[in-house]
Amino acid sequence: MKVLIKQEECILCGNCSATCPKVFILVPGESSKITKEYMGKNDSEGEIDESLVDCVQSAIDSCPVEIISLE
Ligand code: SF4
């Protein structure tokens, strides 16, 4: 499954990386990014398997500006 972050709208709150640190990392002054382990073609796009869906869904629910999605 694919995880997408609309990085240009990230307000750097850190909720996603605190909730699901396996998949999200906050880079101060930049944005939230997908960790190297799960990165797709760039750091705004990740590839995860079923075992991480709950983790990513919690991060989605924690994002105050609703810019994380799963497809
Ligand atoms: S929860 Fe949303 S706004 Fe906060 S750091 Fe993550 S992507 Fe950015």
Side-chain angles (χ1 to χ4, degrees):
M1 300 179 79
K2 197 173 276 190
V3 186
L4 301 167
I5 311 169
K6 278 193 225 162
Q7 290 174 327
E8 66 279 6
E9 294 174 37
C10 178
I11 59 168
L12 297 162
C13 73
N15 286 358
C16 57
S17 52
T19 307
C20 187
K22 273 189 168 175
V23 178
F24 302 92
I25 183 167
L26 186 69
V27 180
E30 295 185 25
S31 69
S32 168
K33 298 176 187 279
I34 303 293
T35 55
K36 279 205 176 78
E37 196 174 352
Y38 297 104
M39 199 184 290
K41 58 182 182 210
N42 60 57
D43 59 23
S44 67
E45 199 176 299
E47 293 286 345
I48 60 152
D49 63 25
E50 289 288 331
S51 68
L52 286 165
V53 167
D54 286 352
C55 183
V56 169
Q57 188 59 53
S58 297
I60 289 172
D61 295 342
S62 79
C63 180
V65 288
E66 300 181 358
I67 57 169
I68 307 170
S69 58
L70 190 59
E71 14 180 274

